[in-house]
Amino acid sequence: MNSTMEKPYVVGIDIGGTNTVFGIVDARGTIIASDSIKTAGYPTAEEYADEVCRHLLPLIVANGGVDKIRGIGIGAPNGNYYTGTIEFAPNLPWKGVIPLAAMFEERLDIPTALTNDANAAAIGEMTYGAARGMKDFIMITLGTGVGSGIVINGQMVYGHDGFAGELGHVIARREGRVCGCGRKGCLETYCSATGVARTARELLAARTEPSSLRDIPAESITSKDVYDAAVKGDKLAQEIFEFTGNILGEALADAIAFSSPEAIVLFGGLAKSGDYIMNPIKKAIEDNVLNIYKGKTKLLVSELRDSDAAVLGASALAWELKDLKE
Ligand SMILES: [Zn+2]
């Protein structure tokens, strides 16, 4: 019998710095059950895994039991697909190398794969979203940081060590802004949500013209505040998006030269800022891309709902697992 019929579901687990969200997903990409817990607050990763399983197992049982689950996919910062480990993730509570995939396999006896969150987003987009049917595309996640997942010839690119595709830490400005990774000028320091807020603070300090952003204490300005101001016609806020989109477009023009993608798919709050961000990105790509690529790469926004994307992305990884019990 076709194993999708025997095992019609996969589980997706998205591990973020604040929350861990998980759900059971069917082959059409519908989340049929989900729950979440706080990621922090457990003395060890083992106790954290116990707690996830305590919440996840009842969902599995209610939907036919472990035998109906084809696999578990986990998306996590600094997740290594080859080893199933999370390695030195700065925003997670555990230090060092954590064999998280093995912990879930031990507890639930279900094959488990793990990758970083941006790779999971790319696989989710390829399975259920804007990149369906594409063999070559680049996923860019614009959140607190900037992540990327690169698909070439229909395959996720993991590199020799499992960590390929960190375009957020390609240097966009030599000797630029200090990055959390310890280097200077990474794309992430300009084009993440926190990068946008940083740009707002810099521009407000350097300039004198009026802006509604001046009504907000500088330290608490968010990229959402900048968006709201831009929509209301605030010129400085619009300029902040132009600056951000320009740097991102320049970086994407270089990325296009690397893998000649059919599309670049943008995900995250910033990607939803519409023309304020998309127009400068498109212009900067066109102004900077090598002639042979001009006009060939589509710029798309994720088709997955924000609330579902993380679980769907992680779950999609599980469809690719070889069923160990077949
Ligand atoms: Zn960096």
Side-chain angles (χ1 to χ4, degrees), residues 168-169 179-183 186 188:
H169 296 281
C179 183
C181 72
R183 302 173 317 140
C186 292
E188 172 167 304

Side-chain angles (χ1 to χ4, degrees), residues 175-220:
E175 295 303 311
R177 293 176 180 173
V178 172
C179 183
C181 72
R183 302 173 317 140
K184 282 183 183 167
C186 292
L187 184 64
E188 172 167 304
T189 66
Y190 297 93
C191 299
S192 60
T194 40
V196 170
R198 217 162 151 176
T199 302
R201 283 193 287 276
E202 282 184 12
L203 223 58
L204 288 167
R207 302 265 289 270
T208 54
E209 64 258 55
S211 164
S212 60
L213 293 171
R214 295 193 190 279
D215 301 338
I216 304 167
E219 285 314 303
S220 57

Side-chain angles (χ1 to χ4, degrees), residues 13 20 22 37 48-57 104:
I13 303 176
T20 296
F22 41 90
I37 66 166
Y48 160 81
D50 286 341
E51 185 67 8
V52 173
C53 291
R54 216 171 358 256
H55 286 76
L56 175 58
L57 200 55
F104 281 97

